[in-house]
Structure formats: C-alpha cells, structure tokens
Amino acid sequence: MASTDSHDVLESTQVVIEQALRKLGYNDSMVELLKLPMRVLSVRIPVRMDDGSTKVFTGYRAQHNDAVGPTKGGVRFHPDVNENEVKALSIWMSLKCGIADLPYGGGKGGIICDPRKMSFRELELLSRGYVRAISQIVGPTKDIPAPDVMTNAQIMAWMLDEYSRIREFDSPGFITGKPLVLGGSKGRETATARGVAIMIAEALRMKGKDIKGSRVVVQGFGNAGSYLAKFMYDAGAVVIGISDVNGALYNKDGLDIPDLLDKRDSFGTVTNLFQNLISNEELLELDCDVLVPAAIENQITEENAPRIKAPIIVEAANGPTTLEGTRIVTERNILLVPDVLASAGGVIVSYFEWVQNNQGYYWSEEEVDMKLEAMMLKGFRHVYEIHRTRSVDMRLAAYMAGVRKMAEAVRFRGWV
Ligand code: NAD
C-alpha cells in the first residue's frame, strides 16, 4: 500500500501553516504569501582545496518574511542540504521567533558539503566564500545567521570577520553563536539543550511526574543531544539511551553521561567506541518516560509511531516527526512538545546575543538562563492553552501561536 505520510518537510510544513492561518481566520492571499519564503538565494562557491584542485560548492540562504523585523536563522553544513529543506527551515525559524515573541522573521542557510571530510583551511575558505556570496542580503538589520548542524563558533568567527572586511566596520551583530571574545553570549552554546530541558521538566510536571528518576532517551549526541543528556543527568534523570549516526547505546540502569561526553568527538560521534550497540530504530521504541529526538528529520513516522512507548516526546531536532506520526502519537495521548517550541532556546539566546552586541553591554550567564527560562515557559503555556481551548494537536497549536504575529504585521503593513 502506498504511504500517505509525506516526508517532504516543505510540503508538510505548508500543510500545517495553511491549517494554522485558516484556524486564525486569514484569507487565501495570506496563505499564499506565508507558505513560501519571500526570498531564496542560491549561490556557487569555488574553494581551492588542499590538493590544489578547485571544488565548487552550492549554498542557499532563505528569508521567510521580514514583516516583523530582520530575518534570523542558522547555517547548516551537510551533504543532504537542499533548497526545499532550507525553505522549510526558514519557515520553522519564523514560527520559533513568533512563539518566543522575538522581533524577527525566520531565515536559514545551508551549504552542500561534508565538513567531516574537509580540512580546517578548506572550511575557512568555504565559510568566507559563502559570506561574500550572500553579503548583499544579510546584515545586522537585515538577516542574521547563526550556527546549525555541523557549524560552530569558529565558523561564525570566520563569517563575522569576512563580513566586517567587506563592510569595513566591525559588526558583531551580523551573526550570533560567536566565540565569547568576539561578542558571543554566555549560555549560547548550551541554549538549545537548556531550552529543551526546561520543556521536559514542564511536560513531566503536566503528567504529574518529577524529573528525578525519570527515564530519558536521547537520539543524537551533537550540540543539542549531548548537552541535553548532561542536563538531564545532572538533574537526577536516568538517561537510559543515547545514539549517534552509527548506532545507539542502551543501559536500563542509566548511562555514564559525563564519560560519554569526554569521549565524543566534535561531530557528536561516540558509539563507535563501544560494542553491543542497538539500532536507532530500536532506541526510539525503548520503554522510557521521555523520548527526545535530537538528530535529524523524519524519525517518528506512521510506521513506528504505533510502537513508541514514551508518554512524552520533546522534539529537540527540527522536523523529527512526520504529520502522520504526529497524528498517531496525538491519538495515543502522547504529549508531544513540537520542535518550533521545544528547540527555540537557541534562537532565544541568539536574540540575547544580538541585543547585547547592539547595546555593547554584556550579561551574566545567570541572567541569560533566567530570561531564557521565562521565555520558554511562556511559550509552552501559550501553546498548551491553544491546544486545549481550540482542540488542536500541539503542533498545530504551536504553528497558530507562531504565525499569528507575523500575519498581523503583514496585515498592518498592508501587504495582504
Ligand atoms: P550536530 O551536528 O551537533 O549533531 C547531530 C547528531 O545527530 C550527531 O550525534 C550525529 O551523529 C547524529 N546523527 C546524524 N545522523 C543521524 C542518524 N541518521 N541517526 C541518528 N543520529 C544521527 O547537530 P545539532 O546542532 O545537535 O542539531 C541536531 C538537531 O537539532 C537538528 O535537527 C538541528 O536542526 C536541531 N537544532 C539544533 C540547534 C542548535 O542550536 N544546535 C537549535 C535548534 C534545533
């Protein structure tokens, strides 16, 4: 039988955006405008490789909508980057900014490449080449990049330096996720995971449970997954499963997370050092209290959703659950905290970084964490309230919360 479950992330995003705008009472023109980014730039970046050859890379920058303010979102370095994914990711960024009530629209960038197979020098040339190629459409008041999958503070530093050279002034607010010495914010590196941890605690509270002693499974051990596992471990949860691209580790009595953190490499790989692995598929179906997909898209689908045992799913990754997967877990009364809410911690602290850069005044880590927690909890309560009062699933509720401000800004500006 043919599958009815679309794994095309752009297509499924558009389905929910349309449902959200219709529920909010907007017309066809608003749907037409907001179902795609207002601008997508595709660029070719030649890089002189270490062996003397020149390799030409393809990159993208998508800007969903700037009615609310400048666009904002990460740059992904990955072999599977494609235009539709970047478009969908820019829409998700708009939703995250909307839920957190940040003065931004969404943006996203990506380059088709495999940083695991590139030298430091090649990565620097690629990062600088990307900024030169997109420099006309980005800037601290236009569109502000940040790290995403397989990009980090060093890459942000090269991008900042290239932009500052082109513009001939120092411009720390051009990009976020920078090293602290270049105007980065305290708490930025761990912000996504901290936000997810706050959502887990809140979801457990709703189910009448405590974080202490709760059994947590985390798929993915990169920036989002590994820090999250550490926060859970430190809070007294029992992290019984983690995974990376090579497989998964499981121990019903809990894994030694600090040891795994010590052993993981900079791409979030650690399981290759162990034997007796289970598969990522098995990991998702483990008996646990909280399941956190923190790796890649389309992991919970119509195929495995009926077998998920966790009563709570908190999406740290972007797009880990398909629409059919969402329908099935909702019907099974699993509390799903969707990506556009759960993983907004990164963009929230990126916003704090940009504010600090604009002010030239820097905050303590405690201040960052306190403000992050307040914003995440406000977002959760707002989304949960819509879910309850409008009888819609948590994903549709999050989209409704996330798109409303942008649609209103569009309407006031007289665009639609
Ligand atoms: P990362 O590159 O640091 O880590 C990715 C992890 O996923 C690695 O452990 C990798 O081995 C694993 N992985 C890759 N392919 C896999 C597969 N097929 N099966 C299982 N595991 C696999 O990336 P990250 O920054 O931690 O991002 C992870 C997810 O979280 C992405 O969806 C990203 O968009 C989302 N996210 C990240 C941030 C952030 O601030 N880092 C913010 C919001 C959302």
Side-chain angles (χ1 to χ4, degrees):
M1 199 176 73
S3 168
T4 51
D5 198 2
S6 172
H7 290 199
D8 180 313
V9 286
L10 179 59
E11 213 173 274
S12 35
T13 303
Q14 290 175 322
V15 169
V16 192
I17 280 280
E18 171 153 10
Q19 286 171 351
L21 287 168
R22 299 277 182 220
K23 283 262 179 205
L24 294 168
Y26 290 102
N27 62 16
D28 291 349
S29 316
M30 189 67 85
V31 173
E32 199 50 40
L33 181 68
L34 295 184
K35 75 177 192 193
L36 278 171
M38 62 178 190
R39 186 177 297 118
V40 185
L41 185 62
S42 163
V43 296
R44 301 278 281 156
I45 311 154
V47 171
R48 183 68 53 85
M49 306 300 278
D50 291 348
D51 65 4
S53 67
T54 297
K55 190 163 172 191
V56 185
F57 293 88
T58 299
Y60 305 97
R61 185 74 196 168
Q63 300 171 344
H64 178 224
N65 190 283
D66 61 2
V68 171
T71 47
K72 173 110 196 67
V75 183
R76 177 175 288 208
F77 283 9
H78 197 278
D80 298 337
V81 163
N82 62 76
E83 193 169 331
N84 268 4
E85 184 192 61
V86 175
K87 286 178 180 172
L89 284 161
S90 75
I91 300 175
W92 295 342
M93 285 308 299
S94 283
L95 297 167
K96 289 184 197 192
C97 294
I99 292 170
D101 201 10
L102 308 180
Y104 296 135
K108 201 78 179 194
I111 302 178
I112 306 170
C113 66
D114 192 344
R116 289 165 294 202
K117 298 189 178 135
M118 295 172 70
S119 71
F120 220 54
R121 182 193 148 275
E122 290 167 344
L123 277 175
E124 175 175 355
L125 292 182
L126 181 62
S127 305
R128 290 183 183 278
Y130 178 69
V131 169
R132 284 196 300 279
I134 65 165
S135 73
Q136 290 301 320
I137 65 161
V138 291
T141 56
K142 278 191 197 169
D143 181 18
I144 304 129
D148 190 65
V149 175
M150 287 205 269
T151 55
N152 55 26
Q154 174 61 76
I155 289 174
M156 299 305 107
W158 289 324
M159 290 188 175
L160 170 72
D161 186 65
E162 192 65 23
Y163 186 80
S164 303
R165 287 182 193 203
I166 295 169
R167 291 280 174 267
E168 295 186 342
F169 59 80
D170 189 35
S171 186
F174 153 67
I175 204 161
T176 58
K178 301 178 290 288
L180 285 180
V181 290
L182 292 180
S185 175
K186 297 211 167 97
R188 173 62 185 88
E189 200 178 328
T190 52
T192 302
R194 197 167 283 288
V196 176
I198 294 163
M199 295 294 90
I200 292 175
E202 193 61 10
L204 282 166
R205 204 181 58 78
M206 311 265 333
K207 294 258 183 191
K209 288 189 183 159
D210 194 59
I211 204 153
K212 244 192 175 69
S214 288
R215 293 160 309 149
V216 179
V217 168
V218 184
Q219 184 194 35
F221 209 59
N223 174 285
S226 67
Y227 286 126
L228 175 70
K230 176 77 167 60
F231 290 147
M232 291 294 97
Y233 180 90
D234 290 345
V238 188
V239 183
I240 61 168
I242 64 109
S243 78
D244 60 28
V245 65
N246 302 315
L249 293 169
Y250 167 61
N251 182 340
K252 70 174 179 22
D253 299 319
L255 297 163
D256 184 349
I257 298 301
D259 180 55
L260 294 175
L261 279 172
D262 272 352
K263 292 190 167 125
R264 70 159 206 156
D265 68 16
S266 63
F267 295 110
T269 328
V270 68
T271 64
N272 49 330
L273 304 175
F274 295 85
Q275 284 167 348
N276 304 325
L277 297 187
I278 62 168
S279 68
N280 265 286
E281 290 73 26
E282 290 169 304
L283 176 96
L284 295 173
E285 295 173 24
L286 285 175
D287 186 8
C288 62
D289 299 304
V290 185
L291 173 63
V292 186
I296 53 163
E297 286 140 21
N298 297 327
Q299 295 302 293
I300 301 171
T301 65
E302 64 177 356
E303 201 275 315
N304 63 357
R307 295 190 301 275
I308 301 282
K309 296 188 190 66
I312 295 172
I313 300 173
V314 180
E315 296 181 335
N318 282 307
T321 313
T322 62
L323 290 189
E324 267 301 292
T326 301
R327 187 185 64 71
I328 295 167
V329 299
T330 305
E331 267 175 21
R332 294 186 54 221
N333 206 20
I334 293 173
L335 175 56
L336 175 80
V337 186
D339 48 6
V340 290
L341 167 63
S343 71
V347 70
I348 291 175
V349 178
S350 270
Y351 164 63
F352 296 162
E353 181 173 332
W354 180 77
V355 168
Q356 293 170 77
N357 295 150
N358 292 344
Q359 293 180 334
Y361 175 69
Y362 289 84
W363 310 348
S364 67
E365 187 148 358
E366 292 70 40
E367 189 167 1
V368 169
D369 288 349
M370 202 179 62
K371 288 190 158 92
L372 170 65
E373 177 161 21
M375 278 180 151
M376 292 294 306
L377 288 177
K378 193 168 157 219
F380 183 95
R381 287 176 192 143
H382 185 199
V383 169
Y384 195 80
E385 181 69 8
I386 296 174
H387 157 65
R388 217 178 43 81
T389 56
R390 304 288 301 264
S391 302
V392 293
D393 67 47
M394 284 288 281
R395 189 174 313 283
L396 181 51
Y399 274 54
M400 288 167 71
V403 82
R404 184 198 293 268
K405 181 173 168 188
M406 178 169 280
E408 277 305 274
V410 164
R411 198 174 61 78
F412 270 115
R413 284 178 185 271
W415 293 351
V416 162

